[in-house]
Amino acid sequence: MRKRYLVLAIAVFSFLLSFPLSVHASDNTVDDQAGLFTSDEIQQLNDKAASIEKKSKAEVFIVTTDDSNKDPYKFADYYLLDTIGKDKNGIIFYIDMNNREFVISRSGNMIDYLNDARTESALDDIEYFMSAQDYFGAADSYLVSVNTFFDKGVPKGHYRVDSETGEITYYKSLTPVEIILAIVGAGVIAGGFVLLSISKYKLKFGGGYNYPVKEKSSLQLTEKEDRFINSFVTTRHIPRNNSGGGGGSGSGGGGSTTHTTGGGTFSSSGRSF
C-alpha cells in the first residue's frame, strides 16, 4: 500500500512539473522591449507562435525596441544568430520604434518557405496595421502569414541568390508522388532488364549455367592523354535592396535573396513606417 502511494505521488509531481516547462517554451517568442503589447496580447502571440514552431521545427520571434541606434536589418540578423545559432531554422519580426522601420529576417528553412515574394506579401499585410499603429494586429498578421506560407510548402522552382557573389542555388525536394513514381519506374526497368537477359542468354534459374568467360571475353587497352587548358566561371553581382528585399509582391514562386551576417546566412526584407 505504501509503495502504491509513493508511485502516485511521483506521478502527480511529474505532471505538475510539466506545466512550467511548456509555458517557458512559448514565452521566449515575444521580446517586447518597447512595451507595445499588453500581457494578454503577448500570451496570444506566444500561443499562436508555439503551434507554428511545433510543425515547422523553426524558432519564431517577435521583437520590439524603442532606443536602438543599430541598423534594423543587422539587429534582426544578429538577434537570430545569438539566440538560435548560425544557419538554424528561425524567423523574426522586428519593430524598431526609434528608426521607424519593421523587418522580417529569416534563417535556415524559413529562407525557403518565405521567399522574397512571400515576404513582401506578408509585409503588405503588416504595413496596413503599422500605419494604423495597431502593433498587435501587425504581429498577429505576421504569424498568420508565416503559418499560411509554411502550410503551402516551399514554392516550386525555388532558389537562393547570394547577393554578395551572385551564386544561385536551386532547391529540390521530392514529393510523395515523385518518390512512388521513381520506385515503380526503377522496378519496371530492373524487371525488364532481368527478363531481357534471361531471354537473350536462355538462362534458367537453378540450371547450373556457366558462362565461358575465357572463350568469350577479350580486353583491349588504349592510352589517351588530356591536358587541362583553362576554365571560366561567370557570376553576376546582385546588390542587396534593404528597402524591399526584392521579388515583388504576391505569394508565388521565385527565389530568396540571401546575405551573410556574422558568418550566418540570412534573408531579410523590411519597410519604414
Side-chain angles (χ1 to χ4, degrees):
M1 181 66 69
R2 183 176 299 177
K3 184 178 180 180
R4 181 183 300 174
Y5 282 122
L6 179 60
V7 172
L8 180 61
I10 293 174
V12 173
F13 183 70
S14 301
F15 178 75
L16 293 175
L17 282 179
S18 66
F19 284 98
L21 291 175
S22 62
V23 173
H24 177 72
S26 61
D27 280 350
N28 67 346
T29 295
V30 182
D31 184 4
D32 185 22
Q33 302 173 25
L36 302 181
F37 312 122
T38 66
S39 58
D40 181 63
E41 289 173 341
I42 290 176
Q43 187 58 53
Q44 292 182 54
L45 296 173
N46 281 331
D47 293 341
K48 184 170 290 188
S51 64
I52 299 174
E53 291 178 341
K54 184 177 180 180
K55 63 182 178 180
S56 67
K57 310 303 179 185
E59 298 290 328
V60 180
F61 300 99
I62 299 170
V63 180
T64 72
T65 64
D66 57 2
D67 60 356
S68 175
N69 293 316
K70 298 179 181 179
D71 174 77
Y73 296 88
K74 292 291 185 182
F75 184 99
D77 289 350
Y78 273 112
Y79 191 96
L80 281 178
L81 185 66
D82 295 339
T83 306
I84 65 176
K86 184 174 69 174
D87 297 334
K88 300 298 183 180
N89 301 330
I91 185 168
I92 180 175
F93 173 48
Y94 173 52
I95 302 177
D96 187 336
M97 298 299 292
N98 186 45
N99 293 301
R100 308 297 294 179
E101 290 190 73
F102 57 95
V103 175
I104 294 179
S105 180
R106 298 95 73 199
S107 174
N109 66 350
M110 283 300 168
I111 294 177
D112 303 313
Y113 283 101
L114 274 84
N115 62 3
D116 292 343
R118 288 181 171 183
T119 304
E120 287 299 311
S121 177
L123 292 172
D124 287 341
D125 296 334
I126 292 171
E127 190 171 30
Y128 170 81
F129 295 99
M130 292 296 294
S131 62
Q133 299 183 14
D134 182 358
Y135 304 115
F136 171 73
D140 185 69
S141 176
Y142 151 74
L143 293 177
V144 170
S145 293
V146 173
N147 184 68
T148 299
F149 292 135
F150 180 82
D151 288 343
K152 287 185 176 181
V154 177
K156 186 176 181 180
H158 174 69
Y159 56 89
R160 294 186 182 188
V161 181
D162 190 319
S163 64
E164 294 150 4
T165 66
E167 181 181 358
I168 299 177
T169 304
Y170 285 91
Y171 179 95
K172 176 59 180 175
S173 63
L174 293 177
T175 65
V177 175
E178 290 175 329
I179 294 174
I180 294 174
L181 290 177
I183 294 175
V184 172
V188 171
I189 293 174
F193 179 78
V194 170
L195 293 176
L196 179 63
S197 299
I198 293 175
S199 174
K200 182 176 181 180
Y201 297 104
K202 300 180 180 179
L203 299 177
K204 295 183 179 180
F205 293 104
Y209 177 81
N210 292 316
Y211 185 80
V213 178
K214 292 183 179 181
E215 293 79 2
K216 299 292 186 178
S217 63
S218 64
L219 177 64
Q220 293 182 351
L221 297 177
T222 59
E223 183 177 345
K224 183 179 180 181
E225 182 178 342
D226 292 325
R227 294 182 179 274
F228 181 77
I229 304 300
N230 207 343
S231 67
F232 299 91
V233 177
T234 303
T235 61
R236 62 189 180 94
H237 178 73
I238 301 178
R240 178 183 172 191
N241 180 9
N242 281 345
S243 63
S249 61
S251 59
S256 296
T257 305
T258 64
H259 59 271
T260 301
T261 299
T265 300
F266 301 90
S267 183
S268 56
S269 303
R271 296 179 186 177
S272 301
F273 67 95

